[in-house]
Amino acid sequence: MINFPYRRALVTGGAGFIGSHIVEELLSLGIEVISIDNYLSGKRENLKDFLSNTKFKEVDCDVVNYEELKRYFEGVDIVFHEAASKKTVCLNDPRRDLEINAKGTFNILELARDFGVKKVVHASTGSVYGEAISYPQNEHHPL
């Protein structure tokens, strides 16, 4: 068994592809998990297998909503911040994209500080690489 030093985790974007896999792994380690997702791109079906787990809590919340988000930070030891707007949001509504990615991340970091969260893991995105020039696309691909 992995020695994971945290007992309660919050996963933003928990209903997304990567977020739901993080939720799954954390639950397999016996960690209490709070999934935060506004379902703009995440899918409820990605979390359906966890709903009966007493250590799992699903929350429909936007990371931009500071006051609502704040309600879920009590006792959180680690945050996996996977919430982000996708390329289609940026193309259709760049202000919303900025709000989610910048203000949402700022809210997470500020709340983590205020609630004494021990660690924040912030994921990037393959979008920083743009269209693939060669395959397989990897970390050495031009940004």
Side-chain angles (χ1 to χ4, degrees):
M1 176 140 187
I2 296 173
N3 183 15
F4 195 71
Y6 309 103
R7 63 177 192 78
R8 181 177 290 160
L10 186 141
V11 180
T12 68
F17 179 77
I18 295 171
S20 64
H21 283 84
I22 292 171
V23 168
E24 180 178 33
E25 181 64 21
L26 291 168
L27 289 171
S28 79
L29 295 172
I31 308 301
E32 291 178 41
V33 180
I34 303 164
S35 169
I36 301 285
D37 207 299
N38 68 355
Y39 300 96
L40 184 63
S41 59
K43 297 176 174 64
R44 289 186 193 279
E45 66 192 48
N46 289 343
L47 300 174
K48 69 180 179 354
D49 293 339
F50 316 129
L51 296 176
S52 62
N53 189 322
T54 58
K55 292 194 174 217
F56 177 69
K57 180 176 181 126
E58 175 190 19
V59 177
D60 186 340
C61 177
D62 191 327
V63 293
V64 171
N65 187 334
Y66 178 87
E67 288 303 320
E68 185 177 356
L69 190 60
K70 181 174 160 180
R71 296 172 37 200
Y72 304 102
F73 268 77
E74 190 67 45
V76 168
D77 301 307
I78 184 169
V79 173
F80 292 87
H81 182 38
E82 303 296 319
S85 85
K86 293 185 173 184
K87 182 178 176 182
T88 54
V89 174
C90 179
L91 294 174
N92 296 328
D93 189 352
R95 287 186 187 278
R96 178 68 174 141
D97 181 77
L98 179 64
E99 184 177 47
I100 294 167
N101 292 335
K103 183 178 179 182
T105 299
F106 183 79
N107 285 345
I108 295 296
L109 294 172
E110 192 171 44
L111 288 166
R113 179 199 63 206
D114 293 349
F115 281 86
V117 171
K118 296 175 181 95
K119 183 176 271 196
V120 174
V121 179
H122 184 253
S124 185
T125 171
S127 297
V128 299
Y129 297 106
E131 296 301 320
I133 295 171
S134 62
Y135 293 96
Q137 188 173 2
N138 60 32
E139 290 84 6
H140 303 292
H141 189 280
L143 296 177

